Amino acid sequence: MQLPRRRMFSPVLLATVIALLPYQPSVDGELFTALADMEELLETEAVLITNLDNYVQAQEDKLMQLRQKVYEYRREHTEAARDVIAYLSNPVNAFLLTKRLTTDWRHVEHLMTDEVGKEFLENVTSFRSVLKFPSDEDLNGAAVALMRLQDTYNLDTASLARGVLNGVQYSTELSAGDCFELGRQSYLNGDYYHTVLWMREAMDQLTGEVNRTATKEDVLEYLAFSTFKQGNIQTALSMTEELLELVPDHERAVSNKVYYEKELQKEAQQKILRGDDGSEEVPIDTTTKMQKEATPHIYDSSERKLYEQLCRGEQQPPIALRSQLVCRYTANRSPYLRIGPLKLEEAYHRPYIVLYHDVMSDREIERIKQYARPRFRRATVQNYKTGELEFANYRISKSAWLKDAEDEMIRTISRRVEDMTGLTMETAEELQVVNYGIGGHYEPHFDFARREERNAFKSLGTGNRIATVLFYMSDVTQGGATVFPSLHLALWPRKGTAAFWHNLHPSGHGDYATRHAACPVLTGTKWVSNKWIHERGQEFRRPCELHLDNPVEEF
């Protein structure tokens, strides 16, 4: 059995692509992790379009000159062919013929060999050092993000291919080649489920395309193998036979056909053996094996289901609980807030989760974005065993950290958080600013360090994260909610609003009900900033209580 090859390109096209695409180390990739970076790709594309337009114009000017020469030569040659002797007897004609085949033809040869596009290709080379180009990692990340959105929001493959998201037409349709590439990227990730979905869509798109953007044999090759990997050998064999009708000498298809036929024979033999003792067939156990070691970012199917339902807005707390929630003005015992109280909306009672509305102005938001953009780095998570920071595919965003000392406006926001929460900011972490990219998300996690995470926040020396303040710095068109699966609670982004909750009980134990997630951004852009507040310095602001308020230490 042979795996499908990567899609082949013509040598000329491949050489052109290699010439145009810059080499970039992987650290410069990850443009898909923040829409702020993706915006710069439009600038890159605008420059390349202008350069390409100039290249095409230069080529058209060259062809126009050559066409003019063809016209002139053909006209004279036709005239001469009518009466060769009479034509050549004219000394002017004889001179012109000689001139055409010497100096004139040398000029034509020069036009034919002149690389008028060389200058524009050199321009592209120079652009590499000043413009942002996506890498293969970015392409794969963008494709994975679409798969994530498709699963989380139950998006139909055909609708997504038409650019329709939850019934709203947002973009142009995907071609068969686009669908093929999405399937190929899924295949490279070993995701055969999505490979089959998108290769089937590519096949459907091919039937209506006049100018084919993919080939049926390429689609069939990936589709057959991925179908086999999903356990459907008979269908994989049928697709392989269809491929061989198109390309009889297809080496991989010939090999795979033999392999599939042998596997079907083995399957049939095993079926017979299971019934040889006279008993009924014993079904094969396909029970999913559970992961033995629990980690903070591995969660079971029930939580996954709840998480996705909350992201889609299909779940909410019971009416009995919601009926007790109120909105009010509050000063939080702050002398400053007595003059201008905050607008508080209760979202949940135990744990106590609230929203403060209109607590960050548009001017402050733009200033924070201005400071954050140049510092953006891909967001990391803390390894729960080693305490080291690392990248993870369950957190797709870019972040930057801003110090209070950098700007009076940042210091003002910290003082505001202190007024909102009644907790000191002396031991709080710097303001973290986050921008989510294509399908940007952060799967269910805890903000506090659990008991087994002994190295967490050790370098800070300020204890555990006692509370979280999350500022929403943009509205989000679709998706992007902050959800608490165990509470059936979803907080939807609203520009200028801040969410607040305690991560620890008064006893210092972690409140496991605060496990939360950032849903993928379906459409729009999501900017947030947060303050993580630590235990040290809160002894008199939130005194410790001795009662056991969290008897369950783990889910």
Side-chain angles (χ1 to χ4, degrees), residues 438-480:
I438 307 170
H441 72 139
Y442 191 178
E443 293 184 356
H445 62 281
F446 305 103
D447 279 353
F448 64 89
R450 301 191 302 169
R451 178 170 293 178
E452 62 269 27
E453 299 175 83
R454 302 185 186 279
N455 295 315
F457 316 127
K458 188 175 181 180
S459 61
L460 298 178
T462 54
N464 211 341
R465 286 174 175 165
I466 193 172
T468 295
V469 174
L470 176 64
F471 290 97
Y472 295 109
M473 298 167 57
S474 66
D475 296 315
V476 179
T477 309
Q478 288 196 67

Side-chain angles (χ1 to χ4, degrees), residues 5-6 13-14 16 91 145 160 188 262 272 311 314 338 367 414 429 458 496 519 539 545:
R5 69 201 189 291
R6 294 193 175 202
L13 177 59
L14 185 59
T16 304
L160 188 53
L188 294 176
K262 287 182 179 179
I272 295 171
C311 289
E314 296 173 358
R338 286 182 179 276
R367 177 71 68 86
S414 286
E429 295 178 41
K458 188 175 181 180
C519 295
E539 292 84 354
E545 297 179 7

Side-chain angles (χ1 to χ4, degrees), residues 8 36 40 90 101 239 261 266 326 356 427 436 440 493 527 532:
M8 301 300 293
E40 295 188 43
N90 185 324
L101 296 177
M239 291 175 176
E261 288 173 339
K266 288 181 185 178
V326 299
Y356 290 105
T427 56
Y436 289 87
W527 285 82
W532 279 311

Side-chain angles (χ1 to χ4, degrees), residues 1-4 183 187 190-201 203 218-240 242 256 259-260 263-264 267:
M1 180 187 61
Q2 297 186 34
L3 280 64
Y187 173 83
D191 179 1
Y192 303 111
Y193 168 74
H194 286 108
T195 302
V196 170
L197 285 182
W198 284 99
M199 287 301 173
R200 287 189 181 280
E201 185 61 29
M203 189 71 77
D218 278 347
V219 175
L220 278 171
E221 183 179 5
Y222 280 91
L223 188 54
F225 184 79
S226 298
T227 300
F228 161 73
K229 293 295 287 186
Q230 286 188 307
N232 193 338
I233 305 175
Q234 184 60 60
T235 303
L237 176 60
S238 300
M239 291 175 176
T240 303
E242 185 179 354
N256 287 348
Y259 180 82
Y260 296 154
E263 288 298 303
L264 283 172
E267 195 176 77

Side-chain angles (χ1 to χ4, degrees), residues 10 21 28 54 91 116 168 207 238 330 348 381 395 413 439 477 484 555:
S10 71
L21 288 181
D28 289 334
N54 292 335
V116 296
V168 182
T207 59
S238 300
T330 180
Y348 212 88
V381 297
R395 186 183 189 186
I413 290 170
T477 309
F484 297 77
F555 280 130

Side-chain angles (χ1 to χ4, degrees), residues 271-297:
K271 203 171 185 180
I272 295 171
L273 291 175
R274 284 203 303 271
D276 278 351
D277 62 354
S279 63
E280 295 181 359
E281 284 188 9
V282 180
I284 298 173
D285 181 16
T286 58
T287 304
T288 303
K289 301 298 185 293
M290 300 301 292
Q291 184 161 332
K292 293 181 180 179
E293 184 179 12
T295 66
H297 55 83

